[in-house]
Amino acid sequence: MSTPHAILISLLEQPSSGYDLARRFDKSIGYFWHATHQQIYRELGRMAELGWIAADEAASQAGTADGNGVEKRNRKKVYYVLPPGRDELVRWVLSPGAGLDQREEILVKLRADAAIGPLGLDKEMDRLIALHEARLELYREIERKDFGGTLDRRQQIQYALLRRGIRFQEDWVRWGRELMP
């Protein structure tokens, strides 16, 4: 996946300022495609140059007082997707993906442990298991909060993605516990 395409998806779901987009990204797509806030801002500029997105300036909700105590409204850019950006997203979605990429640093470290001998990865595995357990609990909380009742097509797809994440975390925790006696 590419960061610009993930950003296009987020902006199609909801036009946003760079700040709001980065915050939303962290709480949605960021669970399975990481991008720093700096990367997001850099990509927004590049995507605007390509004509994929544009921005309108809008007054923010909170104003600030100037030196004379007079409140003034802050202006922020709200980005939205243009037709060429939507076309690019469709092109990317319909192109074949790379497939079975499973880049996980711990897998390489475990391979080194097998080749060299015990290197003491117990603490690292315990830490990673705890991180995956925390992520699993977060996903289950999102499931309880957001996915009850009848779901429309968009919600069904989002829920399917969440269930994939739940299964991945459950499997990772089970695998990690089996590996560490």
Side-chain angles (χ1 to χ4, degrees), residues 70-129:
V70 177
E71 186 175 323
K72 59 181 183 178
R73 294 279 178 196
N74 293 327
R75 307 292 286 172
K76 64 180 178 179
K77 291 181 178 180
V78 176
Y79 293 91
Y80 59 93
V81 178
L82 296 171
R86 187 182 185 291
D87 293 344
E88 169 55 24
L89 184 59
V90 169
R91 183 209 59 78
W92 176 78
V93 166
L94 296 176
S95 66
L100 303 169
D101 186 3
Q102 287 191 13
R103 291 186 211 182
E104 273 194 79
E105 189 175 85
I106 191 62
L107 300 179
V108 177
K109 290 180 178 184
L110 287 166
R111 230 9 225 268
D113 186 81
I116 297 172
L119 298 174
L121 287 173
D122 296 2
K123 285 184 183 178
E124 178 65 358
M125 284 300 296
D126 288 343
R127 183 184 76 81
L128 291 172
I129 290 168

Side-chain angles (χ1 to χ4, degrees), residues 105-163:
E105 189 175 85
I106 191 62
L107 300 179
V108 177
K109 290 180 178 184
L110 287 166
R111 230 9 225 268
D113 186 81
I116 297 172
L119 298 174
L121 287 173
D122 296 2
K123 285 184 183 178
E124 178 65 358
M125 284 300 296
D126 288 343
R127 183 184 76 81
L128 291 172
I129 290 168
L131 288 173
H132 284 276
E133 287 173 331
R135 179 64 56 91
L136 176 58
E137 184 51 40
L138 173 65
Y139 286 174
R140 287 181 174 153
E141 179 59 31
I142 292 169
E143 180 181 39
R144 285 188 291 273
K145 185 180 79 158
D146 294 346
F147 294 104
T150 304
L151 305 176
D152 62 25
R153 181 181 181 279
R154 179 179 177 196
Q155 292 167 322
Q156 288 173 1
I157 292 170
Q158 289 172 338
Y159 188 33
L161 295 172
L162 179 64
R163 286 193 324 267

Side-chain angles (χ1 to χ4, degrees), residues 5-22:
H5 298 102
I7 291 170
L8 285 170
I9 295 164
S10 290
L11 290 176
L12 281 169
E13 291 174 343
Q14 180 179 340
S16 303
S17 68
Y19 175 78
D20 291 337
L21 173 66

Side-chain angles (χ1 to χ4, degrees), residues 45-61:
R46 193 177 74 75
M47 292 164 61
E49 288 176 10
L50 290 169
W52 294 356
I53 63 172
D56 286 333
E57 287 197 20
S60 68
Q61 299 288 33

